[in-house]
Amino acid sequence: MAETPTPDGQESGTALEQKYGVPFVDLTNFRIDSEVLQMFPQEFMRSNKLIPLFRSGNTLAVAFVDPGEIFNVDEVRRTTGMEVEPMVCREMDLYQALNQYYAAPEEPDLPDEPEIASLDDLPEEEEGVAAEQGLEPRKLEELASEAPVVRWVNQMIIRAVRERASDIHIEPTREGLSVRFRIDGILHPIVSPKKALQLAVVSRIKIMSRMNIAEKRVPQDGRYGALVDGREIDFRVSTFPSTYGETVVMRILDRMRLLSLDELGFVKDRLKLMREMIAKPHGVILITGPTGCGKSTSVYAVMGEIRGGDKNIITIEDPVEYDIDRICQSQVNELAGYTYLVGLKHILRQDPDVIMIGEIRDAETAGVAIRAALTGQLVFSTIHTNDAPGTITRLIDMDIEPFLVASAMEGTVAQRLVRKICLKCKESYDPPPSLLEELELEPGTKFYRGRGCDHCRNTGFHGRIGIFEVLKMNDRIRELVVTRPPTSAIRALACEYGMKTLWADGIDKVKAGVTTIEEVMREAEKLD
């Protein structure tokens, strides 16, 4: 028989257990260990809606109103240094239990769930201190551990993950603190705390990312991981000193959302070319494009496709963004003298079948990659060029001999990311005839767009997809490369053999109703 709700309208114990997957504890009939209760300040327990129950060895049992708030669980673990056994309790019962042990607050009503801008809860004197720049590390840590600061940062991160943000930007300005989420490649502002809390918020994030909170004069990098809504999320964090304080950018990496080649956006013929290239036993395959175009995602998709027990795959990355089973991954550490070049020389002694280099940044790294391919390894990497043919001329400009480039290269893939039309509010329309003529499209061609709805934040877009330019080497192209040709000559010959440009792939996706013409024009150029 199903358990009925409690008289006060709160969920029953059985319902809470089923909802959160942890044991329910009825605090009205539970005797709390007063010793463990002293482990936390009252304000911390009230604001984070938790109460410790008892300890067993190095394990602490804690009742949470919402055990799904994984940051609260992590905070208890960090504060105590103990393993945490979460349980769930009713909110009313928790406040009644706290009131039994402490004097009840002046306002006995249950506090509402704080909004994203609830940092105003800090006292004015604390705000004034937070605005100062010369604080010692202990005081900075105290400010960063204030319950409103902790709660706001946690809520901001959870909200960013739930809204599919790829990055969080926290930027101090003359007037205040600007916080923006990058969603589908576009920055969207959110409600931000006032400038007086700038130092506390930044310090909180630096503590979570294991950075030096006292150092504000030089850039720092850090990272940490957490469970959000049952998903393993990695956060790659970068701080940078600016005129009005440190800016923070947090890259959000969903470790459970590695895309496959089929999901990236390759149309059938280009997907076939891609699979033919990565099936080769040796050679260099480069993914190219500007920062933020999804190069790493594509490389990881390739690694996920070719990994297996019959291949020894070794990577050297800066940083390792996703952990992949059955692949040996290594991270650059320049402070220790472990650079791409050093790592590559040692990788070649590890009998690899496949090598993945996070990025080719200089001629030395490019040279080792080319030599590895010529001695029998399949090498994948990324590089910054405008298009696929430009990758070949870029290698030659880096003083790699043209005959080596021609011999080692198996292919190169240029890519961009465009926003996908929201399926919930998608509609067709007739573009102006003059535009169809300019784009060399047939009269009567339909275009599509999103009207804007709650699902897409009224933007008309939801998610992103790649547009690709796949250049697969053949004997004619290799013969041309040896002559040090310009990029235009390589492009013309590749197109003769069926290569579709970024623009052409984008137009195919416009006609298919996947994206808009404006998105393609923003990311690709129509070449004659």
Side-chain angles (χ1 to χ4, degrees), residues 265-267 269-270 273 386-390 412-416 418 439-440 466-472 487-488 490-509 520 523-528:
F266 286 101
V267 255
D269 59 339
R270 270 141 280 181
L273 280 177
N386 290 328
D387 55 14
T412 177
V413 180
Q415 68 178 67
R416 301 290 190 276
V418 294
L439 300 176
E440 300 177 359
I467 56 175
F468 299 93
E469 184 174 273
V470 182
L471 190 162
K472 185 173 183 291
T487 299
S488 57
I490 300 173
R491 183 187 303 110
L493 184 57
C495 288
E496 280 184 33
Y497 282 91
M499 184 190 83
K500 280 205 168 186
T501 63
L502 286 165
W503 174 264
D505 191 32
I507 293 299
D508 286 345
K509 289 181 169 68
V520 174
E523 293 294 343
E525 180 182 2
K526 184 177 184 295
L527 300 173
D528 296 328

Side-chain angles (χ1 to χ4, degrees), residues 359-514:
E359 183 182 348
I360 289 181
R361 298 176 178 173
D362 50 52
E364 290 81 5
T365 305
V368 175
I370 294 288
R371 288 195 294 274
L374 292 174
T375 55
Q377 281 81 36
L378 184 60
V379 181
F380 295 93
S381 188
T382 67
I383 194 169
H384 291 279
T385 62
N386 290 328
D387 55 14
T391 304
I392 295 173
T393 52
R394 171 72 177 132
L395 290 174
I396 296 173
D397 289 343
M398 295 170 80
D399 292 330
I400 307 297
E401 289 294 338
F403 74 90
L404 293 177
V405 176
S407 300
M409 288 292 297
E410 279 299 329
T412 177
V413 180
Q415 68 178 67
R416 301 290 190 276
L417 289 176
V418 294
R419 291 183 291 174
K420 294 194 295 183
I421 298 170
C422 174
L423 296 178
K424 302 284 186 181
C425 60
K426 180 178 175 179
E427 64 180 10
S428 64
Y429 72 98
D430 295 315
S434 58
L435 178 60
L436 293 178
E437 184 179 352
E438 181 184 346
L439 300 176
E440 300 177 359
L441 298 176
E442 295 180 3
T445 300
K446 291 280 188 183
F447 281 3
Y448 298 84
R449 62 192 172 198
R451 293 186 308 274
C453 62
D454 291 340
H455 181 65
C456 62
R457 298 169 56 100
N458 292 310
T459 63
F461 299 97
H462 190 274
R464 289 192 288 177
I465 195 168
I467 56 175
F468 299 93
E469 184 174 273
V470 182
L471 190 162
K472 185 173 183 291
M473 298 290 283
N474 60 32
D475 290 341
R476 283 282 310 281
I477 297 175
R478 294 183 201 279
E479 290 172 4
L480 179 64
V481 169
V482 174
T483 66
R484 295 179 180 266
T487 299
S488 57
I490 300 173
R491 183 187 303 110
L493 184 57
C495 288
E496 280 184 33
Y497 282 91
M499 184 190 83
K500 280 205 168 186
T501 63
L502 286 165
W503 174 264
D505 191 32
I507 293 299
D508 286 345
K509 289 181 169 68
V510 170
K511 292 191 292 186
V514 175

Side-chain angles (χ1 to χ4, degrees), residues 174-238:
R174 183 189 298 273
E175 294 78 20
L177 196 62
S178 168
V179 182
R180 296 183 290 174
F181 294 165
R182 187 177 294 280
I183 302 172
D184 296 335
I186 305 297
L187 286 170
H188 298 270
I190 68 167
V191 178
S192 305
K194 49 190 173 182
K195 187 172 179 65
L197 274 300
Q198 169 185 324
L199 196 57
V201 169
V202 172
S203 296
R204 174 64 190 164
I205 294 171
K206 290 170 74 173
I207 288 171
M208 295 166 69
S209 309
R210 297 177 175 83
M211 297 184 192
N212 182 356
I213 61 173
E215 180 57 79
K216 300 184 284 293
R217 299 165 299 175
V218 298
Q220 295 188 64
D221 293 311
R223 66 185 304 166
Y224 71 98
L227 277 173
V228 180
D229 295 336
R231 295 152 57 193
E232 293 183 24
I233 306 294
D234 278 342
F235 298 90
R236 202 173 76 199
V237 185
S238 170

Side-chain angles (χ1 to χ4, degrees), residues 285-306:
I285 299 171
L286 297 179
I287 312 292
T288 185
T291 300
C293 72
K295 298 188 298 294
S296 296
T297 300
S298 294
V299 172
Y300 277 107
V302 170
M303 294 294 104
E305 178 132 334
I306 66 174

